[in-house]
Amino acid sequence: MNYIKDTLALSGRLIKHNLRSLDTIITVVAMPVMILLAMVYLFGGAIQIDGLQHDEYVQYVLPGILLITIATGSAYTALRINLDKTGGMFDRFRSMPISKSAVLSGHVLASIVFMLTSTTIVLVVGFLIGFRTSASPLEWLYIILLVVGFAIMVTWLSVPFALAASSVDGASAFSYLVLALLFVSSAFAPTNKMPAALEAFAKHQPMTNIIATIRNLFASNSVGADGWLSIVWLIGITLVSWWVGVKIYNRV
Amino acid sequence: MENKIVVKGVNNSFKKNQVLKGVNLTVKSGSIYALLGANGSGKSTLLKIITGLHAMDSGEVFINDLEITHNPRRIRQTFSLNSQTTTTDEILTGFENLQLIAKLRHLPNTDEVADKLLAQFDLTEARDRRVATYSGGMQRRLDIAMSLVGEPEILFLDEPTTGLDPKSRNDLWAAILDLKQRGKTIFLTTQYLEEADQLADQIGFLQNGHIVATGTPAEMKQLGGHSRLQLIFPTTDAIESAQKILLDFNMSVGTDGSLLIDLTDGVTTSLKALTLLSNHDIPISSFQVLAPTLDDTFMQLIKEA
Ligand SMILES: Nc1ncnc2c1ncn2[C@@H]1O[C@H](COP(=O)(O)OP(=O)(O)OP(=O)(O)O)[C@@H](O)[C@H]1O
Ligand SMILES: [Mg+2]
């Protein structure tokens, strides 16, 4: 009971951080929106997607943009965890009679809330510029679960990096790794248009599975093998980074 | 229980640098203990070990008769640590900082507690401003206020008055004495010997990994040497003649040209010296007895090392 109260109090603090720093909001919401607009209005016409009209490119690209929003947000998750470690805030909390893990849980919870809020904003922008979906309530539920799962995964993935880094810059660098994975996936164009070596990688990495699943759900298509592959990837990566993260946390 | 904090044989090394080599000390319930020592002597390290933030290599620490590693959560209920570095949240307001700590301590009336502490530390006017806009001393005051939330039985303060102006320092001293009045136990470190002198019931001096001297402020001052008689003369001629006459005394010349005589025999020595000077008609502008200070002890102990 106290664990939950403490986690809520601590995440409340971090949500205030996110709301009060303008650069956080601008980076995490505006950047994905810019990419979305650029892809749809500038480059979209040049990318040929089988079975889609040029002006329907937004249907193709939006799922990837949602994940990019989450990945961008993780840079701030890492930053805030690292600041608390190096600035002594962790020590203050840990000398108090609260559960040690509530301190980390507070960060995780605030991060997920922030990521989902910014994703929702980007999704709304998508609808405004013509994104349409035929997803049923059940398919929507599936999409939401995947997006939440992705936010949880990326958040936990940032924890070990944030705790191990000795500086703020190092802490947020890892988010470029996730962003790079997203760029080398089917987020913007089908993998079969890529050079062979890149294609082999892009086809089999988790981002492609997850994006394809969300894309198919939005279009009410069957998800095929991508569906369970996404779930396996999400749970697997989350568990590994959770395990490593908690191990490092108990040592710092 | 009489002993609130008991530290037994605590050892700690950072790689090859052995900082603590078997530290022993006890702090009585309801008293103020001041830990002194040069920079880098390991004061902060010891505080971190006692409060469970840093694992020691060997040794034992008891708080309220409980070994700290056995029931850390329950022990943390009893104390609060104010570390040497200011740890306030710059993005929150002063009020929100205090409110957060009050929530985490599960107090029922968080807002009241926060406002009361803001008033006590002269921060009411800055209540709703982000801490980033506070001056260094204001941040330090808020930092200490945060450590007083919920008034735990034991308070660990690592150099609490560093960076405070004289008024804030006096206020904090009053606050610390008030907490003691109400039965709290306080363990502080300080670089200001006057602070230890004013506040402490017991002083410990940490050096080369050990507590090399411990006692009440009065006892500690004795270690620094004797009282001294300071003589001030109107002319340089007078000083020179006085030096000749007082050759048998243990004497030194102060930086201001005054003569300092070690009172090895207390009052008797000063009477002898003054009588001699008066017998030789040497004029004196003024004289006074200087009691030994903690500074003397501090310098003495460091010299002996
Ligand atoms: N995390 C650390 N890693 C390596 N060495 C450390 C660490 N923390 C402290 N030390 C070393 O331990 C020694 C004691 O440091 P500590 O901070 O306890 O001293 P202190 O008495 O509090 O000094 P000050 O009066 O300057 O605050 C120093 O030599 C310091 O360099
Ligand atoms: Mg220190």
Side-chain angles (χ1 to χ4, degrees):
Chain A
M1 195 55 225
N2 278 341
Y3 166 77
I4 295 174
K5 265 199 228 158
D6 296 343
T7 303
L8 287 177
L10 289 162
S11 62
R13 157 182 178 251
L14 296 158
I15 288 170
K16 280 180 192 154
H17 281 204
N18 286 330
L19 290 177
R20 285 177 194 179
S21 49
L22 204 58
D23 68 311
T24 313
I25 299 173
I26 290 180
T27 315
V28 177
V29 177
M31 204 195 68
V33 168
M34 302 291 260
I35 298 178
L36 176 66
L37 297 180
M39 291 312 292
V40 170
Y41 293 114
L42 295 179
F43 312 119
I47 300 171
Q48 180 58 52
I49 313 283
D50 297 337
L52 274 185
Q53 302 289 319
H54 279 324
D55 58 1
E56 288 175 341
Y57 181 65
V58 64
Q59 305 293 124
Y60 183 85
V61 81
L62 191 78
I65 301 286
L66 296 182
L67 301 196
I68 286 176
T69 312
I70 291 173
T72 314
S74 73
Y76 286 90
T77 308
L79 176 115
R80 303 213 191 286
I81 293 177
N82 189 264
L83 279 179
D84 273 2
K85 184 194 96 170
T86 51
M89 217 58 186
F90 270 178
D91 276 356
R92 182 183 269 284
F93 293 140
R94 279 157 46 155
S95 68
M96 293 179 64
I98 57 179
S99 128
K100 201 174 161 183
S101 52
V103 180
L104 207 49
S105 311
H107 274 282
V108 170
L109 181 62
S111 161
I112 293 168
V113 168
F114 183 62
M115 287 170 174
L116 295 180
T117 312
S118 39
T119 310
T120 307
I121 298 174
V122 174
L123 182 65
V124 168
V125 173
F127 276 114
L128 289 178
I129 64 166
F131 177 76
R132 292 296 174 263
T133 168
S134 54
S136 67
L138 211 63
E139 283 159 341
W140 264 110
L141 187 69
Y142 198 168
I143 293 167
I144 292 170
L145 280 179
L146 285 173
V147 171
V148 172
F150 189 77
I152 295 174
M153 179 194 88
V154 175
T155 295
W156 273 109
L157 195 58
S158 73
V159 171
F161 288 92
L163 289 173
S166 52
S167 77
V168 168
D169 296 334
S172 39
F174 102 96
S175 70
Y176 293 111
L177 213 96
V178 183
L179 282 172
L181 278 181
L182 282 166
F183 283 110
V184 189
S185 76
S186 66
F188 300 114
T191 52
N192 59 22
K193 300 255 164 64
M194 296 176 178
L198 213 55
E199 181 192 350
F201 173 77
K203 235 183 182 158
H204 296 108
Q205 59 121 326
M207 306 301 163
T208 297
N209 300 133
I210 300 168
I211 291 171
T213 310
I214 297 179
R215 198 178 278 141
N216 280 323
L217 287 166
F218 271 134
S220 296
N221 295 334
S222 91
V223 295
D226 287 325
W228 64 265
L229 275 173
S230 305
I231 293 172
V232 170
W233 276 119
L234 287 177
I235 295 179
I237 298 176
T238 305
L239 285 181
V240 171
S241 32
W242 171 76
W243 186 77
V244 178
V246 169
K247 228 176 155 64
I248 300 181
Y249 177 67
N250 285 329
R251 274 197 290 117
V252 295
Chain B
M1 95 216 41
E2 225 213 326
N3 289 329
K4 204 75 175 166
I5 305 164
V6 178
V7 174
K8 279 189 188 162
V10 166
N11 285 294
N12 188 68
S13 305
F14 292 105
K15 304 246 166 68
K16 288 225 166 99
N17 174 16
Q18 193 175 0
V19 178
L20 303 176
K21 305 170 187 167
V23 171
N24 297 302
L25 63 84
T26 53
V27 180
K28 289 208 162 48
S29 186
S31 73
I32 300 179
Y33 185 97
L35 183 65
L36 306 183
N39 288 142
S41 56
K43 302 180 296 296
S44 298
T45 305
L46 184 59
L47 274 194
K48 283 186 190 162
I49 288 173
I50 297 176
T51 53
L53 283 180
H54 186 82
M56 57 193 144
D57 298 340
S58 62
E60 288 175 306
V61 176
F62 299 86
I63 290 180
N64 282 338
D65 293 337
L66 293 171
E67 218 287 317
I68 52 162
T69 49
H70 286 152
N71 204 335
R73 186 93 167 263
R74 184 159 142 220
I75 290 172
R76 276 181 304 193
Q77 298 277 3
T78 61
F79 69 73
S80 170
L81 165 68
N82 192 253
S83 60
Q84 188 171 355
T85 41
T86 306
T87 46
T88 52
D89 187 319
E90 298 211 333
I91 297 172
L92 301 188
T93 65
F95 177 77
E96 287 168 336
N97 267 285
L98 290 163
Q99 195 190 35
L100 173 67
I101 302 293
K103 273 189 199 161
L104 293 175
R105 286 200 173 270
H106 308 128
L107 303 182
N109 46 348
T110 54
D111 295 9
E112 248 169 75
V113 170
D115 276 321
K116 202 173 140 241
L117 280 163
L118 284 170
Q120 188 185 342
F121 285 87
D122 268 342
L123 292 168
T124 304
E125 167 268 328
R127 178 185 191 270
D128 297 317
R129 259 167 51 200
R130 288 197 200 175
V131 173
T133 69
Y134 283 24
S135 74
M138 288 165 79
Q139 288 196 21
R140 190 71 186 139
R141 262 147 49 203
L142 177 65
D143 186 54
I144 292 164
M146 285 163 75
S147 300
L148 299 189
V149 169
E151 299 205 346
E153 298 164 45
I154 307 170
L155 210 56
F156 294 95
L157 304 168
D158 199 352
E159 301 199 14
T161 55
T162 303
L164 294 188
D165 65 33
K167 180 189 178 288
S168 307
R169 182 178 305 176
N170 277 326
D171 287 351
L172 183 57
W173 286 357
I176 290 174
L177 288 172
D178 179 56
L179 287 166
K180 180 189 154 179
Q181 281 291 310
R182 285 185 283 140
K184 314 286 179 191
T185 307
I186 292 134
F187 187 128
L188 57 86
T189 74
T190 181
Q191 297 295 347
Y192 302 107
L193 302 179
E194 190 198 347
E195 184 163 294
D197 198 4
Q198 295 269 329
L199 298 177
D201 296 300
Q202 197 75 12
I203 291 175
F205 193 88
L206 181 62
Q207 179 155 296
N208 296 332
H210 306 280
I211 302 283
V212 292
T214 180
T216 63
E219 287 163 355
M220 291 296 277
K221 284 179 208 166
Q222 293 301 316
L223 294 176
H226 305 104
S227 300
R228 285 171 301 176
L229 176 69
Q230 184 185 37
L231 298 164
I232 296 163
F233 299 95
T235 61
T236 38
D237 276 357
I239 299 177
E240 277 163 22
S241 338
Q243 274 179 303
K244 275 175 208 147
I245 292 162
L246 299 174
L247 263 180
D248 291 343
F249 292 80
N250 198 347
M251 179 179 56
S252 57
V253 184
T255 45
D256 53 354
S258 63
L259 286 186
L260 294 164
I261 295 173
D262 233 13
L263 298 181
T264 40
D265 217 357
V267 184
T268 326
T269 321
S270 29
L271 280 179
K272 268 192 213 154
L274 290 170
T275 317
L276 264 174
L277 291 172
S278 123
N279 286 349
H280 287 83
D281 284 332
I282 298 187
I284 304 174
S285 337
S286 72
F287 67 88
Q288 60 175 326
V289 175
L290 300 178
T293 63
L294 278 176
D295 288 57
D296 298 329
T297 308
F298 196 97
M299 298 309 287
Q300 185 75 25
L301 287 169
I302 284 183
K303 240 187 343 204
E304 283 169 10

